[in-house]
Amino acid sequence: MSPSTPPTRFAYLGPEGTFAEAALSIAVASSEGARYPQPSVPAALAAVRSGDTDAALVPLENSVEGSVPATMDGLADGEPLVITREVFLDVVFVLAARPGTELSAVRSVASHPHALAQTAGRLAELLPDVVPLPTSSTAAAAEAVAAGEYDAAVCAPIAAERYGLVPVVEDLADHPGAATRFVLVEPAGVLPAPTGNDKTSLVVVVEDRTGALLDVLREFSVRDISLTRIESRPTRERKWVYSFSLDCEGHVADRRVGEALAALHRVCEDVRFLGSYPRADGRQNRPVPAMADDPAFAEADAWLAAIRARA
Amino acid sequence: MSPSTPPTRFAYLGPEGTFAEAALSIAVASSEGARYPQPSVPAALAAVRSGDTDAALVPLENSVEGSVPATMDGLADGEPLVITREVFLDVVFVLAARPGTELSAVRSVASHPHALAQTAGRLAELLPDVVPLPTSSTAAAAEAVAAGEYDAAVCAPIAAERYGLVPVVEDLADHPGAATRFVLVEPAGVLPAPTGNDKTSLVVVVEDRTGALLDVLREFSVRDISLTRIESRPTRERKWVYSFSLDCEGHVADRRVGEALAALHRVCEDVRFLGSYPRADGRQNRPVPAMADDPAFAEADAWLAAIRARA
Amino acid sequence: MSPSTPPTRFAYLGPEGTFAEAALSIAVASSEGARYPQPSVPAALAAVRSGDTDAALVPLENSVEGSVPATMDGLADGEPLVITREVFLDVVFVLAARPGTELSAVRSVASHPHALAQTAGRLAELLPDVVPLPTSSTAAAAEAVAAGEYDAAVCAPIAAERYGLVPVVEDLADHPGAATRFVLVEPAGVLPAPTGNDKTSLVVVVEDRTGALLDVLREFSVRDISLTRIESRPTRERKWVYSFSLDCEGHVADRRVGEALAALHRVCEDVRFLGSYPRADGRQNRPVPAMADDPAFAEADAWLAAIRARA
Amino acid sequence: MSPSTPPTRFAYLGPEGTFAEAALSIAVASSEGARYPQPSVPAALAAVRSGDTDAALVPLENSVEGSVPATMDGLADGEPLVITREVFLDVVFVLAARPGTELSAVRSVASHPHALAQTAGRLAELLPDVVPLPTSSTAAAAEAVAAGEYDAAVCAPIAAERYGLVPVVEDLADHPGAATRFVLVEPAGVLPAPTGNDKTSLVVVVEDRTGALLDVLREFSVRDISLTRIESRPTRERKWVYSFSLDCEGHVADRRVGEALAALHRVCEDVRFLGSYPRADGRQNRPVPAMADDPAFAEADAWLAAIRARA
């Protein structure tokens, strides 16, 4: 696929009816291409690497569950991939049943253990005598309810709809407001154009010494770049080597971001560029101070070039 | 419980037969006290806060799954608790069945979805025709096998043993070498004595401005303290406020660590001390340079006091 | 002399009629003690070290001539002395002659070479045919004019007055606005009380490595302390060792300043404390942010002490 | 003058026989051009600016007297000039007299006050009854001795030689080992080629805020550049604005140095480039770490360009 060709085949973390499919619906109109559910994050990423699909939509982090290691590690290792879009999806659970089912008639409830954990309080209130049962995904629970195996499922609204169920209880989460950040991943040859409100994702690997992380952060700080996420990643393979997964404001095409990345390339053991893409969490990047915007870099270059031209 | 009284009642993330129980067996001899399985991390922490138990053993991070948000957030919020011990447990999965079961006779396999994910490749090789089924924990799968519900469970060796099963296949993990870091958590009034090879855990909350994290790290760096883990934590509640969960080398009783914490207390929105405890990952802290050891601080204090005494 | 006894015998860089005497008149009322001119800065400092005088007033830096190495080095080496006061004196030159002398009658002009250099332009305009002649001090020139050796002297108004001369031309400097910073120096046992607008002077010696100066400055920066002067000093004696002479805002009795000094004492080869004294350049220190004021340090100490008390 | 034309007309701080002339003799063979003594540093710099000479040799700093403000300020202000060479000259004083003069016959001694100050101790030992007399330069003293005005002069060996005097006492300095650093200054269009052991000189002007100098130093530190000199310069004209005069290792043609300068151009109020020239103090620049050498920058550029090419 050439960078100029938009993707038309989309893998996502399935099965149908998952939050990932809901996120994909937000990111990509159904008319833009076909969608292929995958059994796991590694499978979804593999589908892009093998060329079986053009892109994959996978979860990166969740405000309740934290980062998704399968995605983090799947992007950090193997054939390079880049993030081209991010999508934030509010995590909304419904208690879904076959049409006509009353709450008082629910004798069995099923869902993925994570979903059951996030709704345990409400379920105990609503259905004190029911012991929830685990399934391999929230969508699988909905499918099983449709098949008559259970009375109700804790699932996304999209799953209820897809399997012909209706919500008996809406907004089931114990702590409303949770959101999952999904990312659309494509082959490394793709780079969305800057929009003026972008993020850039990286994995940097540093040798193990006091102050190594500080040195990484200084390269951002001296160029007035804000980080929006940082996480040290355990590396068991190479003892005494650490890696950090991080997101910063700005696009690699911005002078300040590009120079920070080039500096990291020099001073770190390894830097993997994971993409520059439009920021989609509803926030605006901080204003870039005049001393760090592209014209300031251009002017400094011209000044330096004039000095060097004399040698 | 007074600090001088060792804990005798231990909660852990149950049910019986989980990796958490295995980790507790490493951390605490069975003669040291009674053990109480809890249904969830929040329940285990609540048991300590309520005084129902003296301590809780919970998972903090896993080399495959990453950090455990329930533990991270459970320590960051609510009544203060501190970590008094850390335990690293290699994650070893076995395929466990009732005695006499041959691999070729296994028609059904069950386990927690995480365990199934980490053994999916091996299971597909060994049992290509079997669709694994989810349970609420690996131990629950073993219990169900013992009860005859399934033919085999993917679980910890301790779970097999506890439920009278035998391993049909050992070392089932697709990627061997995974380890989980568990922590023993006690009420905030407890602080283990320094051992010379300790770690200190913190949560720091900073206002949202470029360079805020850098300022946090500088307080460690100027005092020659190495970080061993850092993770930004999403905070949806207070927009534009960030928190970081981090571990550093050294004990709060060390001058350099104590002064760094006091400095953070001044410059951060909030600092929560999560304990100083013996390092247990098999590594030694980096040697403390002469300029950062306790005698250097004492000498500097004496020098300063002599100057100030003249005023 | 005990710290509680104010000095009553003052050495100064003589002879009588120098800018140093003028500065001393500003700093100390004539009723406060006797004044002893000294032939050189080293002689003035030696008089304090030997106990022959209680204090010495010497020039530290000049906005035209830069720092005064004899004072810098005289304070950096030898028996410790401290600065207890600073005095800024505008450098005002007059062309002084015996009463009754007209400008047109001036056929010879003398002064110290520095003074001649700072008035060369005006002298060339006013007296184009006169070749100025050097003397050992501006006051010596005035004395020589009084003795009839020359027609006019470039000197301080105080020198004209003292030797019975009158100003033929006022404000003779080519670049008006120059000022000299003098310091009153006392034995190391003296420390003025904080006033709320103080400066602290130091000499720090660091080993020769990239970033050594940065590490020094970080100790100020992390504690929100501004520097008002810094100068690297050449050290020929100890190759590969550098020293820096610097002034910062605040008093050593301030928590933030004291901790910065103690930190430097740990991390530098050597730190010499040169005094905390009221700021006298007409500027106010920058407001101390709440996170760096004394109550913030006290609160952080209390917080840390409570944690450590549990061990 | 085009950069490719070597200078042939050299101004220097005169008169003939000064240390500046001795330094010029070291820097430039007498066959390379004509030499023009100038009465002052400003006059020497003005001769280059006006095109009357091609270059000027002036003192920049002295290990006893410190920096030479007339040179510092003369380079910092006015039409841009650059340093193209540095020369270190040991300061050696002789007591010079007319041939045949015995020490015991010396009844009068003259010299520049600075030279008298640096030899005061030895003179007091050798000639306890003689009061030294000031002249406008050490060379002028030698000339006056030759003319019979005084019996002996404290001057440079070159001055004795030039005026037909002989040294009665050699090595007269109280503290041997002093050296003066002279610089050859040319119009701003000239830049010597890198030699592998170069220095670069700058003046940077920063706004007045806590940490401004730290930010300047970070731009060097993040690129592994060592400073060899730094000095804050008093600025009375623009209140609350500071300037720093500094020298660093490396040549502006080096990637790391050029990028540091360009960064300073962005973040400082003003940066004046004062030249890159061969280091001549007998020391070698510190080895450049692999991560900061030119190939590392080139590789990082290529890496970044490949990423950006996709946009």
Side-chain angles (χ1 to χ4, degrees), chain D residues 211-266:
Chain D
L213 174 57
L214 193 76
D215 289 348
V216 168
L217 297 190
R218 288 205 309 174
E219 299 291 354
F220 292 97
S221 173
V222 295
R223 296 173 180 93
D224 278 296
I225 302 168
S226 289
L227 297 189
T228 57
R229 186 182 61 82
I230 184 167
E231 187 180 347
S232 61
R233 299 287 306 155
T235 58
R236 282 252 144 192
E237 306 75 36
R238 299 178 61 192
K239 277 209 173 175
W240 306 118
V241 170
Y242 284 77
S243 85
F244 297 94
S245 168
L246 56 85
D247 300 336
C248 69
E249 297 189 348
H251 191 286
V252 67
D254 297 342
R255 287 295 306 270
R256 73 192 200 288
V257 176
E259 298 223 349
L261 267 60
L264 292 175
H265 185 82
R266 283 191 298 102

Side-chain angles (χ1 to χ4, degrees), chain C:
Chain C
M1 189 190 73
S2 125
S4 53
T5 311
T8 57
R9 297 169 302 154
F10 298 90
Y12 67 94
L13 178 61
E16 294 187 9
T18 56
F19 288 100
E21 191 191 5
L24 182 56
S25 298
I26 293 173
V28 181
S30 59
S31 60
E32 286 185 44
R35 297 165 184 191
Y36 304 91
Q38 300 292 329
S40 67
V41 168
L45 300 180
V48 181
R49 287 187 170 115
S50 68
D52 286 348
T53 66
D54 302 326
L57 192 104
V58 290
L60 188 68
E61 55 176 332
N62 179 289
S63 60
V64 174
E65 296 294 323
S67 61
V68 179
T71 302
M72 295 283 177
D73 296 344
L75 294 176
D77 298 324
E79 188 75 15
L81 298 172
V82 293
I83 298 169
T84 57
R85 225 175 295 186
E86 68 175 5
V87 183
F88 285 80
L89 186 72
D90 286 342
V91 175
V92 175
F93 290 113
V94 297
L95 186 69
R98 290 177 299 277
T101 308
E102 300 271 320
L103 177 62
S104 57
V106 172
R107 295 285 172 269
S108 58
V109 171
S111 193
H112 186 273
H114 280 182
L116 293 176
Q118 293 178 37
T119 56
R122 292 297 307 288
L123 287 178
E125 280 173 33
L126 297 168
L127 301 166
D129 300 327
V130 173
V131 177
L133 298 168
T135 55
S136 57
S137 74
T138 54
E143 187 175 17
V145 169
E149 293 180 37
Y150 309 107
D151 291 340
V154 176
C155 61
I158 192 175
E161 187 183 338
R162 185 165 304 271
Y163 293 104
L165 308 183
V166 295
V168 180
V169 180
E170 313 248 15
D171 292 334
L172 198 66
D174 290 343
H175 301 287
T180 301
R181 179 184 174 210
F182 292 88
V183 289
L184 189 71
V185 168
E186 301 189 44
V190 180
L191 184 60
T195 67
N197 194 41
D198 302 291
K199 273 187 196 169
T200 294
S201 294
L202 295 179
V203 174
V204 299
V205 178
V206 297
E207 68 176 319
D208 179 51
R209 57 177 179 74
T210 304
L213 174 57
L214 193 75
D215 289 350
V216 168
L217 297 191
R218 288 205 308 174
E219 299 292 354
F220 292 96
S221 173
V222 296
R223 296 173 181 91
D224 279 296
I225 303 168
S226 290
L227 297 189
T228 57
R229 186 182 60 82
I230 185 167
E231 189 179 346
S232 61
R233 299 288 305 156
T235 57
R236 283 252 141 191
E237 307 74 37
R238 299 179 61 192
K239 277 209 172 176
W240 307 119
V241 170
Y242 283 77
S243 84
F244 296 94
S245 169
L246 56 85
D247 300 337
C248 69
E249 297 189 349
H251 191 286
V252 67
D254 297 341
R255 286 294 307 270
R256 74 192 200 288
V257 176
E259 298 224 349
L261 268 60
L264 292 175
H265 185 81
R266 284 192 297 104
V267 306
C268 296
E269 298 267 313
D270 192 27
V271 180
R272 179 178 278 221
F273 172 71
L274 292 185
S276 290
Y277 47 86
R279 181 170 196 166
D281 59 0
R283 295 183 180 178
Q284 284 291 319
N285 285 346
R286 259 168 278 197
V288 179
M291 70 180 66
D293 63 12
D294 280 12
F297 275 90
E299 193 196 341
D301 279 356
W303 174 81
L304 178 62
I307 290 173
R308 282 177 166 167
R310 310 166 190 165

Side-chain angles (χ1 to χ4, degrees), chain D residues 11-309:
Chain D
Y12 67 93
L13 179 62
E16 293 186 11
T18 56
F19 287 100
E21 190 190 6
L24 182 57
S25 299
I26 293 173
V28 181
S30 59
S31 61
E32 286 185 44
R35 296 165 184 192
Y36 304 92
Q38 301 292 329
S40 67
V41 167
L45 299 180
V48 181
R49 287 187 170 117
S50 68
D52 287 348
T53 65
D54 302 327
L57 193 103
V58 290
L60 188 67
E61 56 176 331
N62 179 289
S63 60
V64 173
E65 295 294 324
S67 61
V68 179
T71 303
M72 294 283 177
D73 296 343
L75 294 176
D77 298 324
E79 189 74 15
L81 297 172
V82 291
I83 299 168
T84 57
R85 225 174 294 187
E86 68 173 7
V87 183
F88 286 81
L89 185 73
D90 285 343
V91 175
V92 176
F93 291 112
V94 297
L95 185 70
R98 290 177 298 277
T101 308
E102 301 270 318
L103 178 61
S104 57
V106 171
R107 294 286 172 269
S108 59
V109 172
S111 193
H112 187 273
H114 281 182
L116 294 176
Q118 294 178 38
T119 57
R122 293 295 306 288
L123 287 178
E125 279 173 36
L126 297 168
L127 301 166
D129 300 327
V130 174
V131 176
L133 299 168
T135 54
S136 58
S137 73
T138 55
E143 188 176 15
V145 170
E149 293 180 39
Y150 310 106
D151 291 340
V154 176
C155 62
I158 192 176
E161 188 184 337
R162 184 166 303 270
Y163 293 102
L165 308 182
V166 295
V168 179
V169 180
E170 312 248 14
D171 292 334
L172 197 66
D174 290 343
H175 301 288
T180 300
R181 179 184 175 210
F182 292 89
V183 290
L184 189 71
V185 168
E186 300 189 44
V190 181
L191 185 60
T195 66
N197 194 41
D198 302 291
K199 273 188 197 168
T200 294
S201 294
L202 294 179
V203 173
V204 299
V205 178
V206 297
E207 67 175 320
D208 178 52
R209 57 177 179 74
T210 305
L213 174 57
L214 193 76
D215 289 348
V216 168
L217 297 190
R218 288 205 309 174
E219 299 291 354
F220 292 97
S221 173
V222 295
R223 296 173 180 93
D224 278 296
I225 302 168
S226 289
L227 297 189
T228 57
R229 186 182 61 82
I230 184 167
E231 187 180 347
S232 61
R233 299 287 306 155
T235 58
R236 282 252 144 192
E237 306 75 36
R238 299 178 61 192
K239 277 209 173 175
W240 306 118
V241 170
Y242 284 77
S243 85
F244 297 94
S245 168
L246 56 85
D247 300 336
C248 69
E249 297 189 348
H251 191 286
V252 67
D254 297 342
R255 287 295 306 270
R256 73 192 200 288
V257 176
E259 298 223 349
L261 267 60
L264 292 175
H265 185 82
R266 283 191 298 102
V267 306
C268 295
E269 299 267 314
D270 192 26
V271 180
R272 179 177 278 222
F273 173 71
L274 291 185
S276 289
Y277 47 86
R279 182 170 193 164
D281 60 358
R283 295 182 178 178
Q284 285 291 318
N285 284 347
R286 259 167 278 197
V288 179
M291 71 180 64
D293 62 12
D294 281 10
F297 275 90
E299 194 196 341
D301 279 355
W303 174 81
L304 178 62
I307 289 173
R308 283 178 166 167

Side-chain angles (χ1 to χ4, degrees), chain A residues 61-70 73 88 90 112-114 134-136 177-179 208-211 213-214 217-218 220-221 224-236 238-242 244 249 279 281-284 286, chain B residues 61-70 73 88 90 112-114 134-136 177-179 208-211 213-214 217-218 220-221 224-236 238-242 244 249 279 281-284 286:
Chain A
E61 56 177 332
N62 179 289
S63 60
V64 174
E65 296 294 325
S67 61
V68 178
D73 296 344
F88 286 81
D90 285 342
H112 186 275
H114 281 181
T135 55
S136 58
D208 178 51
R209 57 178 179 74
T210 304
L213 175 56
L214 193 75
L217 297 191
R218 287 205 308 174
F220 291 97
S221 173
D224 279 295
I225 302 168
S226 290
L227 297 188
T228 57
R229 186 182 60 83
I230 185 167
E231 189 179 346
S232 61
R233 299 287 305 156
T235 57
R236 284 251 142 193
R238 300 177 62 192
K239 275 208 174 178
W240 307 118
V241 170
Y242 284 77
F244 298 94
E249 298 189 348
R279 181 169 195 167
D281 59 0
R283 295 183 180 179
Q284 284 291 318
R286 259 168 277 195
Chain B
E61 55 177 331
N62 179 289
S63 61
V64 174
E65 296 293 325
S67 62
V68 178
D73 296 344
F88 286 81
D90 285 341
H112 187 274
H114 280 183
T135 55
S136 58
D208 178 52
R209 58 177 178 76
T210 305
L213 174 57
L214 193 76
L217 298 190
R218 288 206 308 175
F220 292 96
S221 174
D224 278 297
I225 302 168
S226 291
L227 298 189
T228 58
R229 186 181 60 82
I230 184 167
E231 188 179 348
S232 60
R233 299 287 305 155
T235 57
R236 283 251 144 193
R238 297 178 62 191
K239 275 210 173 175
W240 308 118
V241 170
Y242 284 77
F244 297 94
E249 298 189 347
R279 182 170 194 164
D281 59 1
R283 296 182 179 179
Q284 283 292 317
R286 260 168 277 196

